[in-house]
Amino acid sequence: MSADGSSLGRRALLLGGAAAAVGGGTAAVLAARSGSPEPGPVAAPPGGAESVAFHGAHQPGVDTHPAQAHSVFVGLDLRPGAGTPDVRRLMRLLSDDAARLMAGRAPLAAQDPELPALPSRLTVTFGFGPGLFDAIGRPTDCPEVIRNLPGFATDRLDPRWSGGDLLLQVCSDDPVPLSYAVRRLVRDARSIATVRWSQRGFNQARGSEAPGTTPRNLFGQRDGTANPAAGSPELAEVVWVRDGPSWLAGGSMLVLRRIRMDLDTWDDFGRAGKEMAMARRLDDGAPVTGGTEFDEVDTRMVDGRGMPIVATGAHVVLATHRHPTERMLRRAFSYDDGPNADGTPDAGLLFAAYQADAATAFVPVQARLAESDVMNLWVTHVGSAAFVVPPGCADGEFVGQALLGA
Ligand code: HEM
């Protein structure tokens, strides 16, 4: 019996009718040879054909919700001597590639229609780092916070995961079209840019939990609860630039941090302590002070002896915005690069935060976390990159056109 009792079964039968028209002959021959009954119909996968529009006021892959199951972040450096005409040509080509790939088509001159055919909500998002502004002779157009993101006391940054002139953020629910998109985009960028780093992340598989369920990170926590709701006016206000140069209106800023998790010591720590470190419960993400997942933590609640229930250093207490300009959209992915040689896990979080101004959002929040977040016992920031995310573009245009000129 099908999972939903009937409708999937009926659908499979209907789809099976079409499949039989195409492949029934082969199936019948195979069945006759093996002496077994003809194989039953197979339901078409529902999500593969879903696509996201590339063109629009904003780039895709920021408010695309839920975040896809797989991501690859690639930091590129422009080759020495690359100037405005090169960057313009590059962005024209990559934007065209992205539009085609997201629609389930191969880039121009590519001959592999099968690999991109089921994009599974593929998105391609571009970010501009300080070096790109230098290369086009407009260094002062790069916001100061993107050029010089402040350092934090707890940073242990490795240049291997940091910096970059141009970011490709490529996400999909299926790693196969994702892999194809990344390799074609990087291939088309190769004459003008080299790969500085590449980082791979994931969320739970789409369909593993009910739609709308907040994903879990590798600590087992529901991560993303307090984000502004998808498609809400709050999200638009938090994420998109309104006051700023006209070439950036409708754009955003991305801070990407590679945060290593010490999963061995986390695994061995008591459950109650883990929940107090976050001030939220592990099973359902609800505050330790009671309620359900989307309730706020009550920092004033006391226990029977009059002692505060929530620790002042709990992650959520310090991360909660203290001013509206501190809000951000967190679009994180877990990473797991397999065990190190000594058997310890090389895993953590690719923390990606979008906001209209990282100077008023990420920076003050991370400053508080670096100073006294209890979670610092288990997390270490090992990579950092910040990018301007230009606005989206219309059909026939390319990302960054207002900055680079047509
Ligand atoms: C590995 C590192 C991190 C882990 C495991 C983590 C995990 C979590 C979890 C489980 C929550 C509660 C549920 C939710 O609202 O999403 C949360 C909330 C939050 N985190 Fe983190 N986080 C990490 C790093 C960061 C960083 C670096 C920042 C920003 C600088 C940040 C900012 C926030 C914010 C703004 C909230 C929402 C607070 C609220 O308004 O309730 N987190 N985090």
Side-chain angles (χ1 to χ4, degrees):
M1 178 133 162
S2 61
D4 64 359
S6 61
S7 66
L8 183 61
R10 270 202 302 277
R11 223 165 73 110
L13 276 173
L14 290 170
L15 289 164
V22 182
T26 318
V29 171
L30 286 174
R33 277 198 196 144
S34 67
S36 59
E38 243 181 86
V42 177
E50 261 185 74
S51 64
V52 177
F54 175 70
H55 298 113
H58 312 297
Q59 285 199 64
V62 181
D63 62 354
T64 303
H65 185 82
Q68 295 91 330
H70 301 272
S71 65
V72 177
F73 293 81
V74 184
L76 298 168
D77 280 339
L78 296 169
R79 288 185 184 276
T84 308
D86 304 298
V87 179
R88 192 185 292 136
R89 206 170 59 245
L90 178 64
M91 289 313 301
R92 182 176 285 128
L93 179 58
L94 295 186
S95 298
D96 186 67
D97 288 352
R100 287 170 194 273
L101 287 162
M102 284 177 54
R105 291 183 291 139
L108 262 188
Q111 295 168 13
D112 332 271
E114 296 80 10
L115 286 167
L118 295 172
S120 306
R121 300 195 305 135
L122 181 87
T123 56
V124 181
T125 318
F126 300 102
F128 292 175
L132 185 144
F133 290 87
D134 297 345
I136 63 168
R138 295 179 61 169
T140 56
D141 279 310
C142 181
E144 178 56 21
V145 67
I146 300 298
R147 185 173 291 282
N148 288 313
L149 191 75
F152 302 92
T154 46
D155 286 354
R156 298 290 177 271
L157 303 182
D158 186 337
R160 181 177 167 214
W161 305 119
S162 303
D165 297 342
L166 175 65
L167 172 82
L168 309 178
Q169 177 198 273
V170 191
C171 307
S172 171
D173 288 322
D174 184 339
V176 171
L178 173 62
S179 158
Y180 180 74
V182 171
R183 88 168 186 251
R184 293 304 309 203
L185 289 161
V186 170
R187 176 180 167 146
D188 278 349
R190 274 200 308 235
S191 63
I192 298 173
T194 54
V195 175
R196 184 183 176 105
W197 48 254
S198 160
Q199 313 189 45
R200 189 170 287 281
F202 59 90
N203 274 313
Q204 282 153 290
R206 197 150 176 240
S208 68
E209 291 202 88
T213 309
T214 310
R216 289 191 192 277
N217 60 33
L218 297 183
F219 282 153
Q221 304 156 329
R222 296 271 180 217
D223 195 343
T225 303
N227 264 336
S232 65
E234 187 200 357
L235 184 143
E237 190 188 318
V238 165
V239 164
W240 308 122
V241 176
R242 277 157 303 140
D243 316 316
S246 56
W247 63 264
L248 187 50
S252 189
M253 292 188 197
L254 168 65
V255 178
L256 176 66
R257 307 281 282 190
R258 184 179 179 89
I259 307 178
R260 199 179 58 218
M261 290 172 160
D262 187 341
L263 291 170
D264 270 3
T265 56
W266 176 262
D267 288 346
D268 294 342
F269 198 64
R271 193 174 177 87
K274 288 176 180 170
E275 295 188 331
M276 292 322 279
M278 182 53 59
R280 286 187 173 274
R281 294 201 314 235
L282 282 163
D283 56 354
D284 59 0
V288 289
T289 48
T292 59
E293 184 190 348
F294 294 95
D295 289 325
E296 285 178 16
V297 172
D298 182 352
T299 51
R300 289 156 310 172
M301 194 179 275
V302 290
D303 64 15
R305 291 170 299 150
M307 301 297 286
I309 291 178
V310 176
T312 49
H315 179 76
V316 162
V317 174
L318 295 164
T320 302
H321 63 273
R322 299 186 180 175
H323 189 274
T325 57
E326 286 187 359
R327 290 172 300 169
M328 63 186 87
L329 174 71
R330 291 166 290 132
R331 203 171 189 276
F333 294 87
S334 295
Y335 75 86
D336 183 349
D337 285 2
N340 295 305
D342 64 1
T344 55
D346 180 8
L349 195 71
L350 300 182
F351 175 88
Y354 284 93
Q355 62 251 281
D357 186 355
T360 66
F362 176 82
V363 171
V365 174
Q366 178 54 22
R368 283 200 296 273
L369 296 178
E371 198 177 304
S372 43
D373 185 2
V374 179
M375 296 278 290
N376 292 338
L377 287 168
W378 301 280
V379 303
T380 312
H381 291 226
V382 295
S384 179
F387 301 93
V388 169
V389 178
C393 65
D395 196 3
E397 294 178 355
F398 60 90
V399 169
Q401 185 161 326
L403 178 71
L404 299 164

